[in-house]
Amino acid sequence: MEVLDWAAAALNRVDRAAFFSRFEETHAVQYFYEPFLEAFDPELRKELGVWYTPPEVVRYMVARVDTVLREELDIPDGLADPRVYVLDPCCGTGTYLLEVLERIALTLDEKGGDALNTDDLKRAAMTRVFGFEIMPAPFVIAHLQLGLFLQHAGAPFSDVAGERAAVYLTNALTGWEKPHDHVHRLPFPELEDERDAAEKVKRDLPILVILGNPPYNGYAGMAVAEERGLSDAYRTTKRAPAPQGQGLNDLYVRFFRMAERRIVEATGRGVVCFISNYSWLDGLSFTGMRERFLEVFDGIWIDNLHGNRIISEYAPDGRTSETVFAIQGKSPGIKVGTAIALLVSSERSKSECRLLYRDHDEARAADRRQALVSSLEDADISSEYREVLPNAQLGLAFVPGESNADYFTWPSLPELFPVSFPGVKTSRDDFLVDIDRDRLVQRMEQYFDPAISHEGMARIAPGAMDKTARFDPIATRDRLRKRGLLGDNFVRYCYRPFDVRWLYWEPETKLLDEKRAEYFPHVFEGNVWIEARQKQAIQKFDRGYV
């Protein structure tokens, strides 16, 4: 109670009129949730993919959607047309929905402002600009944000009439098929009403635009129930090589498939515009996804925003490429590179899909965001793009590339080297790897010594006793100490190119994170191998030595 008294005393000193005026004018609410969760529970924030989208990116995407509706789908008023139903399936705090309403308000004003415009704006917020959100906190903030916007616009929601924004608490990846028989009742009638209203939007309304920033989580695991089938359409190919790896399990892929299915198969035409992890543009896992998009869409525009911090991507001027999500002094942003995809399906007779691509490779995120917004002033923005003709043999990559005319006559690496293995991954380099063999042997003897406690071992080599989701250090050490040290398993280890060290290769448990037991017998003097990657992570070739 004392803490609450402190909070109340602090709040009572706030000039409420001034605070809420500035809060509303600067849309400060949309910047609240991410920094709060970063301080309160950073692991949860990372797991849920809570990153607010920079306003320039949102403005650019909404403006491009508005233009494409006018130019490609023959809808003169774009987003302001009452026939245009819009959905952000992962709306977070409502940033995209707010920008859509602002774009609608701008169009209505340009047509001649009158008292009916505010009614049209509120009707749009209530009946055709939809948001789905699975987490309660951002769901509440989205309602607050949209309510403040309409109040400022002179069209506040009526509590008496039960008016509200069309933002629903629901899982956007389920409930799109035929009506469900809900066996289990939800604990509150309000939640059942929320679910039923969301499912009506999913099943009955002709959604024409789906846009937003879906979550990216490469370790989301296999989908369950209805979600399981979402990526099935991307797991087979007709012309391109079959998908490889686990990339299709990433969450953002499920959102792409949900959107594609809703626009192409249900409404029959429309626009999908997502900013996402850019791995699908040329990754080996996504050949079927790209092939399908080329089949079902008429036009695709790709804005490659780069910024991959995992591989230390560089800009053309040699500086590190920041993620476009980086906000100076506020947020470091995400680690993966990103791209904006704008995909259009029309009712015109289907012809070959036109794929247009452009790079935004300014080193600083702020410069890249400004370049995005500035490009909206170009009357012929498509002229800034480069047309790409994807090659089926190369997996229908959506990024420009060139190959020698004789390239496909050359033998492939699998033909030259019929057996291949991924490399060893220690995840505990400081403990299991050393330049000095004697020092490594001494450290491992201490690890296997029953006289040294777990606490003592943690002081000697902290990395050996750090717990992770896949590694229980105490249980692992107890098990290995019973078996004993394997003296013959101190082996030479190519830690980096031309940097050969010593490794203790442990064949049991997760002490060695990925031990590659099937690879180990093939490492002996005189056996020739080549180190290479199936896909280059960066433009400059940096792999392939014997």
Side-chain angles (χ1 to χ4, degrees):
M1 289 301 295
E2 185 179 8
V3 174
L4 292 178
D5 290 339
W6 295 344
L11 290 173
N12 285 335
R13 290 195 293 269
V14 173
D15 183 336
R16 298 189 182 191
F19 174 82
F20 281 106
S21 174
R22 182 162 179 77
F23 199 71
E24 181 179 348
E25 287 174 6
T26 59
H27 301 149
V29 67
Q30 70 187 11
Y31 305 120
F32 164 74
Y33 186 59
E34 181 203 338
F36 166 75
L37 199 57
E38 167 66 15
F40 180 71
D41 193 338
E43 287 302 316
L44 179 64
R45 180 269 198 105
K46 181 179 179 182
E47 178 183 344
L48 298 175
V50 177
W51 301 92
Y52 90 88
T53 313
E56 300 94 334
V57 173
V58 177
R59 192 177 315 133
Y60 172 79
M61 292 172 63
V62 171
R64 293 288 285 126
V65 166
D66 188 61
T67 299
V68 164
L69 287 171
R70 299 168 191 258
E71 296 180 353
E72 302 292 329
L73 297 182
D74 301 318
I75 301 175
D77 289 338
L79 290 165
D81 190 296
R83 298 169 297 173
V84 176
Y85 290 85
V86 181
L87 170 66
D88 180 349
C90 35
C91 72
T93 56
T95 309
Y96 282 92
L97 304 181
L98 180 64
E99 184 66 27
V100 167
L101 291 175
E102 289 182 336
R103 176 66 57 167
I104 291 172
L106 179 62
T107 300
L108 293 175
D109 289 343
E110 289 173 348
K111 293 182 66 176
D114 56 38
L116 293 177
N117 283 354
T118 55
D119 290 336
D120 290 339
L121 186 63
K122 182 164 75 169
R123 191 176 305 111
M126 293 174 58
T127 63
R128 64 181 188 84
V129 178
F130 299 101
F132 292 161
E133 177 52 46
I134 199 169
M135 294 187 291
F139 163 79
V140 171
I141 295 174
H143 275 280
L144 172 62
Q145 178 149 262
L146 296 176
L148 288 171
F149 169 74
L150 287 173
Q151 180 176 317
H152 185 69
F157 290 127
S158 169
D159 292 334
V160 176
E163 295 176 340
R164 57 168 283 179
V167 177
Y168 300 104
L169 192 64
T170 184
N171 181 356
L173 299 177
T174 61
W176 294 89
E177 300 301 304
K178 60 184 180 180
H180 287 256
D181 294 324
H182 295 291
V183 178
H184 303 290
R185 295 187 63 83
L186 295 174
F188 302 104
E190 294 84 358
L191 291 179
E192 292 198 343
D193 293 341
E194 196 78 8
R195 177 195 64 197
D196 295 343
E199 290 189 354
K200 180 176 176 60
V201 173
K202 294 173 183 178
R203 294 193 307 265
D204 300 340
L205 296 181
I207 304 296
L208 199 66
V209 173
I210 297 180
L211 83 170
N213 177 15
Y216 334 144
N217 184 348
Y219 300 97
M222 296 302 296
V224 296
E226 186 181 335
E227 286 189 40
R228 183 177 293 115
L230 280 172
S231 61
D232 285 351
Y234 303 151
R235 296 187 183 276
T236 58
T237 56
K238 301 171 185 174
R239 300 181 294 130
Q244 302 178 38
Q246 302 300 317
L248 290 174
N249 290 332
D250 200 309
L251 272 176
Y252 77 88
V253 176
R254 301 174 201 173
F255 280 88
F256 263 110
R257 173 55 180 157
M258 176 276 295
E260 176 230 319
R261 185 172 64 177
R262 190 65 187 82
I263 293 297
V264 174
E265 299 175 16
T267 305
R269 66 173 189 150
V271 182
V272 177
C273 188
F274 281 154
I275 179 171
S276 72
N277 184 328
Y278 70 178
S279 59
W280 71 276
L281 296 180
D282 61 353
L284 297 171
S285 293
F286 309 95
T287 53
M289 182 177 174
R290 294 190 293 268
E291 183 176 87
R292 183 166 181 83
F293 284 0
L294 291 170
E295 290 176 351
V296 302
F297 290 105
D298 302 297
I300 299 173
W301 288 261
I302 300 295
D303 286 289
N304 191 334
L305 303 176
H306 296 281
N308 190 332
R309 292 162 59 211
I310 296 175
I311 63 169
S312 299
E313 190 170 10
Y314 291 97
D317 63 6
R319 292 185 293 169
T320 300
S321 176
E322 291 181 344
T323 171
V324 76
F325 285 76
I327 305 297
Q328 190 69 34
K330 293 183 179 178
S331 172
I334 60 180
K335 290 187 176 181
V336 298
T338 56
I340 295 170
L342 179 63
L343 309 103
V344 180
S345 175
S346 69
E347 294 174 321
R348 303 167 186 165
S349 58
K350 291 289 181 186
S351 58
E352 188 169 337
C353 177
R354 189 179 185 210
L355 173 61
L356 299 175
Y357 171 97
R358 69 173 173 173
D359 286 301
H360 297 272
D361 50 17
E362 296 83 0
R364 299 282 79 86
D367 295 338
R368 206 173 316 140
R369 293 194 296 267
Q370 185 54 51
L372 269 179
V373 174
S374 297
S375 70
L376 295 172
E377 304 300 322
D378 192 333
D380 183 18
I381 193 171
S382 288
S383 65
E384 298 184 13
Y385 291 78
R386 172 180 175 181
E387 186 164 6
V388 177
L389 301 175
N391 186 306
Q393 289 179 279
L394 293 176
L396 298 171
F398 277 16
V399 296
E402 297 178 0
S403 61
N404 188 288
D406 298 328
Y407 178 78
F408 294 105
T409 67
W410 303 347
S412 66
L413 281 181
E415 291 175 295
L416 296 174
F417 290 82
V419 180
S420 63
F421 304 97
V424 169
K425 179 184 177 185
T426 68
S427 294
R428 279 164 278 282
D429 290 15
D430 292 344
F431 177 56
L432 293 168
V433 180
D434 208 308
I435 296 173
D436 186 288
R437 185 184 188 277
D438 291 339
R439 191 165 55 200
L440 177 61
V441 170
Q442 180 185 21
R443 195 160 59 237
M444 298 311 303
E445 287 175 342
Q446 290 172 321
Y447 181 80
F448 280 88
D449 187 347
I452 297 177
S453 67
H454 295 313
E455 293 76 12
M457 194 64 221
R459 289 190 293 271
I460 295 170
M465 302 307 293
D466 286 342
K467 186 174 183 178
T468 69
R470 306 176 69 204
F471 177 65
D472 183 333
I474 294 176
T476 299
R477 187 170 183 235
D478 286 343
R479 174 181 168 182
L480 292 177
R481 284 195 300 188
K482 289 180 181 178
R483 189 211 61 203
L485 179 68
L486 302 176
D488 293 336
N489 282 30
F490 291 94
V491 296
R492 298 296 274 165
Y493 177 46
C494 196
Y495 184 72
R496 295 282 188 272
F498 310 108
D499 181 3
V500 180
R501 304 188 183 189
W502 289 95
L503 166 74
Y504 176 70
W505 189 82
E506 173 53 60
E508 298 180 26
T509 74
K510 277 289 181 181
L511 182 66
L512 198 61
D513 196 9
E514 296 295 348
K515 60 189 73 64
R516 313 300 187 195
E518 70 281 10
Y519 169 47
F520 191 72
H522 296 272
V523 182
F524 56 85
E525 190 72 27
N527 196 14
V528 178
W529 52 269
I530 185 171
E531 189 275 343
R533 290 184 180 184
Q534 292 176 304
K535 174 182 174 293
Q536 278 294 114
I538 58 178
Q539 187 173 8
K540 176 182 175 183
F541 186 80
D542 73 330
R543 283 292 189 266
Y545 62 95
V546 176

